[in-house]
Amino acid sequence: MAKNLRTFIAIKIEPEPELLDFIEECKEVFEGEAIKWVEEDNLHLTLKFLGDTTEDKVDRIKNILKETCLKFTGFSFHINGTGYYKTRGYPNVLYVGISDFMQMQTIAVELNVRLFDLGFEKETKVFKPHLTLGRIKYLKDKKRFYEFIDKYKNKSIQKVLVSKIIFYQSILKSQGPEYIPLHITQLNIQR
């Protein structure tokens, strides 16, 4: 019987000093709060979460990724502005937003359609990329949190150049997830 892998397709974020400084500032402002910060090496933008993936589909996913990436050239986008997601009215994710993501959105939509043919669920929500900085378990000082979000909602943080897309395996561990690249695909070189 084939073993299932937990997988996703993403763009790895290489944090530059501006982003690293901003993350450090977040950690200082929210010191003592119950927030699980994303490890620097794990920063990424998910294009398509696949979830349970049988080993026999791995090569077909790699081929779909290669074929899709051949259609697109490298591109850039901007990381800017703070935000949060909530569950039952309570903040549970702190993130920074993404702007200028049209090409990223086009790639995500194409992958969504192509991977549906392999039996993966089609995403029905509009693609709205974000970079998760931390997962919030509990906030003692909600007022400070909302003031911070408001203060930095328009902050420009980092420009990101994208030349490759990565197919990852995610292994959940007690100390945090481990992301293992299964395949790295270069975007087409602009001529």
Side-chain angles (χ1 to χ4, degrees):
M1 185 164 117
K3 177 179 123 185
N4 280 350
L5 308 175
R6 185 174 193 267
T7 66
F8 64 96
I9 296 171
I11 295 167
K12 181 165 179 45
I13 302 298
E14 301 293 345
E16 293 181 3
E18 301 90 347
L19 179 55
L20 292 172
D21 290 347
F22 184 71
I23 292 169
E24 202 51 47
E25 182 177 352
C26 291
K27 289 178 179 179
E28 287 172 15
V29 167
F30 299 119
E31 188 175 356
E33 295 286 10
I35 299 175
K36 172 73 172 137
W37 299 101
V38 174
E39 293 292 327
E40 208 178 284
D41 282 349
N42 285 348
L43 291 170
H44 68 276
L45 288 171
T46 302
L47 295 175
K48 175 72 177 164
F49 179 75
L50 300 170
D52 284 344
T53 306
T54 56
E55 287 181 332
D56 63 319
K57 288 185 179 177
V58 168
D59 284 337
R60 289 188 279 173
I61 293 167
K62 289 178 187 177
N63 287 334
I64 287 171
L65 190 55
K66 283 182 210 173
E67 291 165 9
T68 301
C69 286
L70 276 175
K71 297 178 183 181
F72 297 95
T73 57
F75 61 96
S76 65
F77 61 86
H78 290 87
I79 298 172
N80 57 353
T82 53
Y84 65 94
Y85 290 120
K86 56 187 175 181
T87 302
R88 293 188 281 284
Y90 187 80
N92 65 344
V93 170
L94 171 64
Y95 68 83
V96 284
I98 305 299
S99 61
D100 307 321
F101 60 85
M102 287 303 294
Q103 186 162 335
M104 186 190 320
Q105 181 177 34
T106 304
I107 294 169
V109 167
E110 172 133 353
L111 288 170
N112 194 31
V113 169
R114 301 265 333 256
L115 291 163
F116 178 72
D117 294 339
L118 266 187
F120 292 99
E121 194 172 310
K122 195 177 269 190
E123 186 59 58
T124 55
K125 293 179 189 170
V126 174
F127 180 74
K128 187 179 175 203
H130 65 279
L131 180 61
T132 298
L133 299 182
R135 289 178 177 78
I136 303 163
K137 295 176 186 166
Y138 180 78
L139 288 173
K140 292 181 266 187
D141 190 344
K142 290 183 192 137
K143 183 176 184 266
R144 179 177 56 178
F145 178 80
Y146 294 123
E147 285 171 352
F148 181 86
I149 294 293
D150 192 52
K151 180 179 178 182
Y152 292 112
K153 67 183 173 191
N154 297 313
K155 179 177 176 58
S156 180
I157 300 171
Q158 177 180 320
K159 181 177 181 177
V160 177
L161 303 175
V162 181
S163 63
K164 59 191 171 203
I165 295 178
I166 305 174
F167 175 34
Y168 284 103
Q169 177 182 2
S170 171
I171 300 172
L172 300 178
K173 298 182 172 185
S174 59
Q175 64 270 28
E178 178 184 2
Y179 301 143
I180 300 168
L182 297 174
H183 187 72
I184 299 172
T185 304
Q186 297 294 321
L187 290 161
N188 197 0
I189 304 296
Q190 192 167 15
R191 294 191 170 106

